[in-house]
Amino acid sequence: MAGADSVEKLEDVIVRSAEQVASEVRAAKEAISTVIFGQDRVVENTLVTILSGGHALLIGVPGLAKTKLVETLGVTLGLDAKRVQFTPDLMPSDILGAEVLDETAAGKRSFRFIAGPVFAQLLMADEINRASPRTQSALLQAMQEQHITVAGARHDLPKPFHVLATQNPLEQEGTYPLPEAQLDRFLMEIDVDYPDRDAERRILFDTTGAEQAAPRATMSGETLLAAQRLVRRLPVGDSVVEAILSLVRSARPGPDAGDLGKLIVWGPGPRASQSLMMAVRARALLDGRLAPSIDDVLDLAEPILKHRMALTFSARAEGRTIPDVIQKLKSRIG
């Protein structure tokens, strides 16, 4: 009996925590919407990524407020945000930091580590595909392990730590495509599209006048960490787990994909299943729900799977695209 009471009390604590965190996250989303217009899905998916403890790749042409979004997120979530503009001559030490030789007044010499911009809670990697693979790979350990190694010494990154990278899908000359291993580190690939007419009308009036809306802080780093811990405690029903497994496994070449298997060269690994599991929980919390649904799985399938798949040459020659294939896989579940 005492055990049942303790379980009940634990459930009550989770419910109260979830309600409080959900209200704080919704307040953050509303605060962001006063600065970023016409990108509701982008804002939602970015918040889901951060609540899940992951990183996001923002794909969009210039001028769609990708940089503004990251700046606003930093202020609204109360995070220390920094930006790195990736260029072909950017070196790994420009991101991670480097050791310098110091000499004291007594003539004693020693090395001192100067931290780079990666030591931030929210790092914007602007046009990440413009830097060389050597520099891109400098972020790999940071993104996955939450620490870096310089001159054999380990340096832990602040918590929370998130990378929001941007890419321009149009101009590809002189760029270096991200390797598959690094793409897999991004929880989501988020497409940033043009705003609709009403949103663009609002942009015209609200951003070209004498006064402009400024972001305001609604959360802190500690609050965000508590929210991320809560996301991991939300229950997930068996039907949602089975939907995640069926969807991810069918996106790989092999018998699970059925007739679509011949179109796929390689597909998502278990990290995609983990990402989808975390993301559906975070989306439920963002909506004020205590458990995710199959609809969450279907809505988040494309941004989580599409950068973890590749189609055969013949499939591309026939005009097949990854979003089309994912849509067919979703129709088997939903």
Side-chain angles (χ1 to χ4, degrees):
M1 197 63 155
D5 290 342
S6 64
V7 170
E8 263 184 47
K9 288 177 183 176
L10 180 60
E11 289 177 351
D12 291 341
V13 168
I14 294 175
V15 169
R16 283 196 302 272
S17 299
E19 290 173 349
Q20 181 181 353
V21 169
S23 67
E24 291 172 344
V25 173
R26 283 197 298 271
K29 185 179 178 183
E30 290 170 8
I32 294 169
S33 66
T34 63
V35 181
I36 306 296
F37 314 128
Q39 301 289 0
D40 293 340
R41 177 52 70 91
V42 174
V43 171
E44 179 179 305
N45 283 349
T46 306
L47 282 173
V48 165
T49 299
I50 292 176
L51 283 173
S52 303
H55 315 286
L57 184 62
L58 304 173
I59 309 291
V61 300
L64 295 181
K66 299 186 295 296
T67 304
K68 188 71 172 176
L69 171 62
V70 178
E71 291 174 357
T72 304
L73 280 166
V75 174
T76 303
L77 300 179
L79 303 178
D80 173 29
K82 293 179 182 176
R83 174 187 176 188
V84 177
Q85 182 69 47
F86 278 60
T87 56
D89 60 346
L90 193 73
M91 298 297 291
S93 58
D94 296 328
I95 301 173
L96 305 182
E99 288 195 325
V100 296
L101 185 62
D102 274 351
E103 185 172 353
T104 64
K108 184 179 180 181
R109 294 180 178 181
S110 61
F111 283 101
R112 177 170 58 91
F113 177 69
I114 299 179
V118 75
F119 287 86
Q121 293 174 312
L122 185 64
L123 177 67
M124 180 179 187
D126 207 358
E127 294 192 289
I128 190 172
N129 58 331
R130 294 208 169 277
S132 67
R134 180 184 178 188
T135 303
Q136 290 174 2
S137 64
L139 276 178
L140 268 174
Q141 184 183 19
M143 292 172 65
Q144 185 65 26
E145 307 295 340
Q146 309 285 303
H147 68 262
I148 64 168
T149 305
V150 176
R154 169 175 168 155
H155 301 276
D156 291 323
L157 297 173
K159 295 183 181 297
F161 173 73
H162 302 281
V163 174
L164 297 181
T166 69
Q167 270 190 202
N168 175 4
L170 299 180
E171 194 178 354
Q172 297 300 320
E173 186 176 349
T175 62
Y176 302 88
L178 290 173
E180 288 75 13
Q182 187 155 11
L183 283 173
D184 198 34
R185 262 65 178 187
F186 289 101
L187 187 137
M188 279 196 208
E189 180 183 305
I190 303 172
D191 289 328
V192 186
D193 209 346
Y194 297 105
D196 59 32
R197 189 180 185 89
D198 291 338
E200 194 160 359
R201 181 190 299 276
R202 187 181 173 190
I203 292 171
L204 290 178
F205 283 105
D206 287 16
T207 62
T208 62
E211 296 183 1
Q212 297 184 27
R216 56 183 176 83
T218 62
M219 294 178 66
S220 66
E222 291 75 18
T223 308
L224 179 58
L225 284 172
Q228 291 174 348
R229 287 193 293 268
L230 180 61
V231 165
R232 289 181 171 271
R233 297 177 68 183
L234 292 185
V236 182
D238 289 341
S239 61
V240 174
V241 173
E242 290 303 318
I244 291 172
L245 288 171
S246 298
L247 186 62
V248 174
R249 293 181 66 82
S250 65
R252 303 167 185 164
D256 288 333
D259 57 335
L260 295 175
K262 64 180 183 295
L263 305 176
I264 304 170
V265 177
W266 58 271
R271 189 179 284 127
S273 304
Q274 295 171 324
S275 298
L276 197 49
M277 187 79 154
M278 292 296 297
V280 296
R281 286 168 162 163
R283 189 172 190 261
L285 185 64
L286 187 61
D287 288 346
R289 292 178 281 117
L290 296 179
S293 66
I294 293 179
D295 288 338
D296 295 318
V297 177
L298 298 177
D299 288 343
L300 293 171
E302 186 175 323
I304 286 179
L305 296 181
K306 65 183 175 183
H307 60 295
R308 294 180 163 106
M309 299 174 59
L311 301 184
T312 62
F313 175 79
S314 59
R316 297 196 305 274
E318 293 172 6
R320 302 291 188 104
T321 63
I322 291 177
D324 292 339
V325 172
I326 294 175
Q327 187 60 40
K328 285 184 168 55
L329 296 174
K330 285 164 55 177
S331 66
R332 297 176 178 178
I333 295 173

